[in-house]
Amino acid sequence: MLRVKTSVELKNKLSNTLRNWLPILQSSLSDLGEAMAPFVESNPLIDIKSGYEESFESRIPKKIQYGYVQNSHSEAIEALTVQHKSLFDILEEQIDGSLFPTPVSQLIAKHVIENLDEGGYYEGDCDVFCRNEGITLEQFEKIRLRFIHVEPVGIGAKSVSESFLFQLESADIDDTAYSLAREMITHMDELGRYRKEEGFDEAMRVIGSFKNPPAIDFLEDSQQVIPDLMIYNDPDEGIEVRLNDRYYPSVSIDAEYRVDHPFVREKFKEAKSLVDALEMRKATLYKVGLMIVEYQYDFFIGGAIKPLTLKTLADEFGHNPSTISRAIANKYIACDRGIYPMKDFFTTAIDEDVSNAAIKDYVAELVRNESHKKPLSDMKLLEMIQDKFKITMVRRTIAKYRKQLNIAGSSERKQLYLLGRT
């Protein structure tokens, strides 16, 4: 059993220490030194040695850098310890799925990706592309608009307003504010006239959270991905979880301060707390790693990721799911299948007990068993889901899940059934 039980003492220590040093838990490994800087600057007893003083490449064995690795899972994972992922890389990973299942849709998706400006907007000449490839503009636009389901959301749009409409589809917003937000986005220069409309404040809150440009987080050529954990899968030894602690900054406390003074005592106490915070960060992420491996064991031996909610982990730690969400944000796991954000091993929660993966599975099951003469509408699917899971949702969410599952609308499915194509 990989999972270890957390003692009451460790839970209390985690709570007390990380409450005071939460930025250290939340920051990515590459940003850890920056998160610690304010605490260090105000404490003359602390000396920090960066975990990045050597070049990243110098830490990777030469035979790995130059591709001379043979049959070594451990060395392959070490080679992944530092990885640069560009926006192009991240988009390429998403166009092989159900959103772009045909050669034509793949061709169009690749064209869109290759013709994004640095902000993530499409700036290609679709007329020339369609003429050269024998594709109609209607076909092109139908495929391009599927980027509404691609992350980062808003990518592939032709304008700010279209990018905002893309982002609106993924926003947490009620139906009244959603309808108003759509209209406001199409009249961005006249927002003042909507001020008295019901849902205005909610619509403004959501619109204000959108990213412009949509690729703002990728304006640099690449982003450094430094995994906190490395998962080794040895055929003989089994699966092992290791902390990537070689990149942690080291903290030393100046023991020469022997003066018995309230200021020195306070700073010494803060310095010890900082060391504790680093150790608690390691302990927390290590245990998260153990639990991910236990719950997602099939993935690490070549299978698929299973539905797993943050609540499951939160219950193990005795914390709120939002605390665990912050703990895994911007954290990565390296294994022999690549480098993955920790959040990828969890399904997004609809509420505390129901994951969106469970909803999608149920939608697929309902459609699989529906009447061919009277396919289920999105409204009917919504009613059945709300009845089964005892939750409140909106029809747009069902439509989004259906499209992500590559399931046609009810009228289109009825035509397919009549044609004998299921």
Side-chain angles (χ1 to χ4, degrees):
M1 188 83 164
L2 283 169
R3 184 171 57 208
V4 292
K5 293 297 182 181
T6 307
S7 67
V8 174
E9 181 180 352
L10 176 59
K11 285 183 179 178
N12 290 338
K13 193 174 184 182
L14 273 169
S15 299
N16 295 333
T17 303
L18 292 179
R19 186 182 299 116
N20 297 327
W21 306 95
L22 196 57
I24 291 172
L25 175 65
Q26 290 179 273
S27 67
S28 65
L29 191 51
S30 57
D31 294 333
L32 189 53
E34 185 179 343
M36 294 170 62
F39 307 116
V40 175
E41 290 169 0
S42 63
N43 195 324
L45 276 65
I46 300 176
D47 182 44
I48 297 285
K49 183 178 180 181
S50 171
Y52 296 94
E53 290 182 354
E54 302 174 49
S55 69
F56 296 136
E57 289 77 10
S58 70
R59 299 184 183 227
I60 304 175
K62 288 288 188 291
K63 62 180 179 178
I64 294 174
Q65 289 186 44
Y66 298 107
Y68 303 135
V69 180
Q70 294 183 351
N71 301 322
S72 173
H73 288 297
S74 297
E75 289 178 340
I77 292 172
E78 291 291 340
L80 290 168
T81 300
V82 177
Q83 174 175 315
H84 296 278
K85 275 198 174 184
S86 66
L87 174 61
F88 184 84
D89 294 331
I90 290 171
L91 294 175
E92 279 272 284
E93 292 172 358
Q94 298 180 68
I95 66 171
D96 292 330
S98 59
L99 279 177
F100 307 101
T102 66
V104 172
S105 62
Q106 286 272 314
L107 182 67
I108 294 173
K110 288 178 180 178
H111 167 78
V112 171
I113 291 174
E114 290 168 359
N115 287 273
L116 297 175
D117 66 16
E118 65 175 7
Y121 290 109
Y122 173 70
E123 61 174 3
D125 191 329
C126 54
D127 291 316
V128 172
F129 171 76
C130 290
R131 188 163 56 249
N132 291 341
E133 300 296 337
I135 299 170
T136 67
L137 282 173
E138 184 180 5
Q139 282 180 296
F140 176 84
E141 281 300 293
K142 183 178 179 181
I143 300 301
R144 184 185 67 83
L145 291 175
R146 293 181 190 174
F147 274 79
I148 199 170
H149 302 299
V150 170
E151 293 185 352
V153 184
I155 288 290
K158 291 183 176 180
S159 64
V160 174
S161 59
E162 187 179 52
S163 176
F164 278 14
L165 289 173
F166 280 17
Q167 295 179 62
L168 181 62
E169 291 305 310
S170 298
D172 181 14
I173 185 172
D174 63 52
D175 284 349
T176 300
Y178 167 81
S179 300
L180 179 61
R182 281 193 66 89
E183 187 174 347
M184 289 167 63
I185 289 169
T186 58
H187 300 87
M188 292 290 284
D189 56 341
E190 304 176 26
L191 294 182
R193 69 185 176 102
Y194 298 100
R195 193 173 301 278
K196 295 183 179 180
E197 297 286 341
E198 182 184 355
F200 175 80
D201 291 340
E202 173 69 2
M204 282 299 296
R205 180 192 67 77
V206 171
I207 294 172
S209 70
F210 293 161
K211 291 183 178 180
N212 180 37
I216 192 169
D217 294 335
F218 297 86
L219 287 179
E220 296 182 1
D221 289 338
S222 62
Q223 61 173 151
Q224 288 180 341
V225 176
I226 315 293
D228 275 86
L229 297 170
M230 292 180 286
I231 312 297
Y232 297 87
N233 187 2
D234 188 284
D236 300 319
E237 302 295 329
I239 295 180
E240 179 185 2
V241 178
R242 291 187 200 170
L243 282 165
N244 187 16
D245 54 7
R246 68 166 68 186
Y247 289 105
Y248 272 81
S250 58
V251 181
S252 58
I253 302 174
D254 193 340
E256 293 183 5
Y257 279 85
R258 302 290 185 182
V259 181
D260 187 14
H261 188 278
F263 175 80
V264 175
R265 288 198 299 271
E266 180 62 27
K267 293 303 175 183
F268 187 77
K269 182 179 178 181
E270 288 180 7
K272 288 187 66 176
S273 291
L274 180 60
V275 173
D276 284 345
L278 277 177
E279 292 306 311
M280 287 301 100
R281 184 187 196 278
K282 292 180 181 180
T284 302
L285 293 176
Y286 180 68
K287 186 184 177 185
V288 168
L290 290 176
M291 295 177 68
I292 286 176
V293 169
E294 178 178 347
Y295 284 102
Q296 303 290 2
Y297 182 82
D298 288 349
F299 171 81
F300 293 103
I301 60 173
I305 292 177
K306 295 180 178 179
L308 172 63
T309 65
L310 285 172
K311 185 177 185 297
T312 302
L313 238 64
D315 289 344
E316 293 284 342
F317 279 89
H319 289 297
N320 189 283
S322 62
T323 302
I324 304 302
S325 178
R326 290 195 296 268
I328 66 172
N330 304 311
K331 312 296 192 305
Y332 294 83
I333 286 178
C335 64
D336 56 8
R337 297 182 66 175
I339 291 183
Y340 297 85
M342 282 193 185
K343 66 180 179 63
D344 281 6
F345 294 95
F346 300 89
T347 51
T348 305
I350 298 292
D351 65 12
E352 289 190 342
D353 300 304
V354 183
S355 71
N356 62 1
I359 301 292
K360 288 181 183 179
D361 287 344
Y362 188 54
V363 168
E365 179 187 345
L366 290 174
V367 172
R368 193 161 48 243
N369 299 312
E370 71 183 353
S371 166
H372 288 195
K373 293 182 179 179
K374 192 176 181 181
L376 298 167
S377 66
D378 288 347
M379 281 305 298
K380 185 60 179 177
L381 289 171
L382 175 63
E383 291 174 12
M384 297 172 77
I385 287 167
Q386 291 186 145
D387 182 62
K388 177 178 175 61
F389 294 102
K390 309 303 179 188
I391 57 174
T392 300
M393 298 177 66
V394 295
R395 187 199 59 79
R396 283 186 301 107
T397 304
I398 304 303
K400 181 175 75 172
Y401 288 170
R402 178 173 51 72
K403 290 174 183 176
Q404 289 174 349
L405 291 167
N406 203 28
I407 295 174
S410 57
S411 59
E412 188 176 348
R413 294 203 306 276
K414 186 174 182 178
Q415 292 299 317
L416 291 172
Y417 291 141
L418 289 173
L419 294 171
R421 297 169 58 189
T422 57

